[in-house]
């Protein structure tokens, strides 16, 4: 659990199209085996420290000729942003994916002292 020191709580959110590989025969649509896409996200403002980030698939377009195998996670979270990481494997064919995200965390306060 993240404990916030003051009443300045920030919430930022977005919805990102990670790829549309069916349009141009990309590897998520035509490939096999382990595949991954990483999409960096910058917050609209800076948090005091790394916030809690939640990601979820908001649109998936997948072939039904094989099992649907996928993972979506937030990685490398900092006060400025994070990476959305989408992974699939074996013979899963992914045409396109959109991911929604939400970050909740403490904002900087005017009384914070910056000491080097």
């Amino acid at each position: 659990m993240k404990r916030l020191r003051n009443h300045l709580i920030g919430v930022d959110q977005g919805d990102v199209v990670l790829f549309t590989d069916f349009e141009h025969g990309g590897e998520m649509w035509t490939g096999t085996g382990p595949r991954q896409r990483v999409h960096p996200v910058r917050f609209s403002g800076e948090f005091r420290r790394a916030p809690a980030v939640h990601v979820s698939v908001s649109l998936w377009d997948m072939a039904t000729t094989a099992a649907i195998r996928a993972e979506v996670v937030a990685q490398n979270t900092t006060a400025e942003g994070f990476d959305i990481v989408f992974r699939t494997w074996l013979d899963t064919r992914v045409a396109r994916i959109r991911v929604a995200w939400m970050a909740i965390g403490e904002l900087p306060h005017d009384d914070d002292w910056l000491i080097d």
Side-chain angles (χ1 to χ4, degrees):
M1 172 189 300
K2 290 196 178 281
R3 296 194 183 272
L4 306 177
R5 289 182 344 134
N6 61 45
H7 66 281
L8 294 174
I9 299 170
V11 177
D12 201 358
Q13 60 187 10
D15 205 32
V16 178
V17 175
L18 295 188
F19 57 85
T20 55
D21 276 15
F22 72 95
E23 293 176 343
H24 61 300
E27 72 170 343
M28 291 294 188
W29 185 242
T30 61
T32 59
R35 289 156 283 152
Q36 138 175 324
R37 290 287 171 85
V38 178
H39 183 88
V41 172
R42 299 262 319 157
F43 299 129
S44 61
E46 190 170 326
F47 288 92
R48 187 170 191 272
R49 60 179 56 101
V53 176
H54 172 79
V55 293
S56 62
V57 174
S58 58
L59 175 135
W60 68 356
D61 185 359
M62 298 188 171
T64 59
T65 56
I68 296 173
R69 303 171 191 91
E71 173 184 42
V72 62
V73 296
Q75 290 183 339
N76 305 319
T77 304
T78 68
E80 296 83 29
F82 70 101
D83 292 332
I84 297 172
V85 180
F86 176 87
R87 295 182 185 99
T88 190
W89 54 94
L90 293 176
D91 58 349
T92 298
R93 295 180 59 210
V94 186
R96 62 183 159 188
I97 291 289
R98 187 175 67 220
V99 174
W101 61 269
M102 180 183 297
I104 302 173
E106 185 177 1
L107 297 176
H109 190 278
D110 290 339
D111 292 340
D112 288 342
W113 292 18
L114 299 176
I115 300 173
D116 291 331

